[in-house]
Amino acid sequence: MSNPKVAVIGTGYVGSVTASCLALLGHQVCGFDSDATRADQLAAGQLPFYEPGLAELLRETLASGNLRFTDDPRQALEDVDVVFLCVGTPTGAGGNPDLAQLASAAWTLAPYLRDGTVVVNKSTVPVGSADWVRTLLEEALPRNAAPAFHVVSNPEFLREGSAIEDFLYPDRIVLGGDGDGVGPVAALYVPIVTQAFPRARTEVVPQLITTDLASAEMIKYAANAFLAMKISFANEVANLCELVGADARQVLPAIGADRRIGTAFLSAGVGWGGSCFGKDVTALIATGHDYGYSPDLLRASIEVNKLQRAVVIRKLQRELKILKGRRVAILGLSFKPGTDDLRDAPAIDVAHRLIAAGAVVSAYDPIVKQLPPDLAGVRIASDPYDAAHRANAVVLITEWPEFTGLEPARLAGAMSGDLLLDGRNVLPDAEFRAAGLRVLGVGW
Ligand SMILES: NC(=O)c1ccc[n+]([C@@H]2O[C@H](COP(=O)([O-])OP(=O)(O)OC[C@H]3O[C@@H](n4cnc5c(N)ncnc54)[C@H](O)[C@@H]3O)[C@@H](O)[C@H]2O)c1
């Protein structure tokens, strides 16, 4: 297939990154979204969300002529060779993902299938979904049509906040399916696997891993479940450290120094969040239940995470005694630095709990300037010191790099109280103590 025509269905976080990066590699890509406003915005070079470097890459690839966006399926899908499905798969009934967006994408795509078309599942979908998509597509075809199309699973491992880096310089690319389907998709990724494109990095050696369909689907869930479990493990160790008088800031890096373990995702804090971990671990648990298996380790990862979010409230209650009428400032709202995504963000959970307890809440985030309507009572501050104005306590929830540069005396001067709770163990606690604050963290 020389110069294949590529389409991306669903241009949210994953779809817009996939489309822009594939266009950067030199491929002809058209992004299709059923949300016309989103398609128009992207076509105009505007991002509907924040992702470092993506707006620039979007404009660059649009200008190169390699990338287009549309809400017209014909424009995107006529004569297409490879179609990436990047629609959302939110949690549905019983913990299983709701595959309605995927079903609707399949129905849109079916009339355009030809011999050799490759349909690539990039959305995170339970084991068996590729076969399910194939059946949906076959059912949606006219009775006399039987194109020999292929379905491939290509799970996406990018992280919001470093999505372009993760896409262009991955540890591995996983392709599941039969050889005839995998081949054309692998060809699209050759510039990444061989690091041969304008911004390539010589030190990066991505692995191309080919598997059967079910294994590719399982790899994505199991990888996310492992990362979530590793963070929950770090938090469990941190909680034990607090009980016995050890310091998780010393303990965890020393555990991670063992190359078999590694330090990544081994820090204590207020727990994980975002659109993927909770959804994917829940989905894997539901898969286990479907087969009469009880995945206890996965369930514990979620339970520990739930408890960890409550740690902030427990510590504030212990120190302030009564939360009703107390002013509490939250630093960082997004579920992690580098994104404006509030899906399952620990800060949102903490803000809800504080408000339910009668506290007066202010918040500052470098990017997020608006909260959901049910948190309309939270005052959005213009900077961290404004958030801390007259606060009894300041709680750091999201470790944006700029918070490590906070001026201790200025923060202490803005507050009426003296409690600083570092929910991510990133602040130089001695400096804040020297400014007269009582500093608490997680795991010490
Ligand atoms: N966000 C992440 O960090 C991330 C990372 C890896 C994998 N994933 C997985 O990738 C998938 C997509 O996630 P996301 O965060 O990009 O979702 P998203 O909600 O940001 O984007 C989904 C997009 O699909 C569009 N859409 C829905 N139905 C459609 C249809 N029938 N036709 C055309 N467009 C349609 C929506 O309008 C939306 O723009 C999910 O399965 C998710 O689990 C996400």
Side-chain angles (χ1 to χ4, degrees), residues 33-337:
D33 206 293
S34 50
D35 177 342
T37 312
R38 171 156 294 193
D40 287 348
Q41 269 182 318
L42 290 166
Q46 288 158 11
L47 265 192
F49 49 82
Y50 175 76
E51 176 61 40
L54 185 57
E56 295 78 1
L57 180 62
L58 179 68
R59 286 180 212 126
E60 179 187 333
T61 44
L62 284 168
S64 74
N66 285 354
L67 183 60
R68 293 179 298 127
F69 289 95
T70 179
D71 65 337
D72 175 359
R74 179 177 293 277
Q75 275 193 36
L77 301 173
E78 203 162 48
D79 300 327
V80 73
D81 296 303
V82 182
V83 186
F84 286 85
L85 301 179
C86 299
V87 294
T89 51
T91 301
N96 275 305
D98 174 353
L99 300 180
Q101 294 182 30
L102 199 60
S104 127
W107 279 87
T108 305
L109 170 61
Y112 301 98
L113 292 174
R114 297 173 297 141
D115 284 345
T117 310
V118 185
V119 181
V120 188
N121 243 344
K122 207 174 227 332
S123 297
T124 302
V125 287
V127 175
S129 298
D131 292 333
W132 181 75
V133 165
R134 163 182 296 287
T135 306
L136 275 184
L137 289 167
E138 285 168 354
E139 291 293 309
L141 286 167
R143 240 171 213 285
N144 55 353
F149 67 93
H150 308 278
V151 180
V152 167
S153 171
N154 172 214
E156 181 51 59
F157 301 101
L158 66 77
R159 296 161 298 175
E160 290 174 19
S162 56
I164 297 173
E165 293 272 308
D166 293 343
F167 195 97
L168 294 175
Y169 316 108
D171 293 327
R172 80 305 210 188
I173 292 166
V174 173
L175 296 178
D178 63 51
D180 290 343
V182 164
V185 189
L188 293 178
Y189 283 118
V190 163
I192 290 181
V193 175
T194 57
Q195 285 295 299
F197 59 98
R199 298 177 198 176
R201 293 188 189 153
T202 47
E203 75 280 9
V204 180
V205 190
Q207 281 188 62
L208 180 72
I209 301 173
T210 54
T211 68
D212 58 72
L213 279 171
S215 300
E217 291 168 336
M218 180 55 95
I219 286 166
K220 171 64 190 178
Y221 279 105
N224 267 359
F226 182 81
L227 294 172
M229 184 189 69
K230 203 173 170 193
I231 297 172
S232 285
F233 174 82
N235 282 327
E236 185 128 290
V237 170
N239 293 336
L240 289 167
C241 283
E242 281 190 27
L243 291 174
V244 301
D247 187 334
R249 294 169 301 177
Q250 298 175 35
V251 171
L252 292 169
I255 299 173
D258 183 329
R259 271 173 295 171
R260 294 170 301 175
I261 298 173
T263 50
F265 287 74
L266 198 67
S267 303
V270 295
W272 43 261
S275 67
C276 290
F277 279 6
K279 167 174 83 71
D280 294 351
V281 180
T282 304
L284 200 50
I285 292 171
T287 299
H289 287 165
D290 287 347
Y291 287 81
Y293 178 77
S294 175
D296 295 337
L297 196 53
L298 302 181
R299 269 213 307 275
S301 305
I302 289 187
E303 276 316 302
V304 169
N305 198 55
K306 266 192 204 148
L307 290 173
Q308 207 58 23
R309 291 185 180 188
V311 158
V312 173
I313 306 298
R314 215 180 56 227
K315 288 190 175 182
L316 288 174
Q317 282 173 327
R318 197 182 64 207
E319 299 300 319
L320 301 176
K321 305 302 177 201
I322 293 165
L323 293 183
K324 207 173 187 57
R326 302 282 190 200
R327 292 191 190 86
V328 180
I330 294 177
L331 299 185
L333 290 166
S334 55
F335 86 89
K336 67 173 180 180

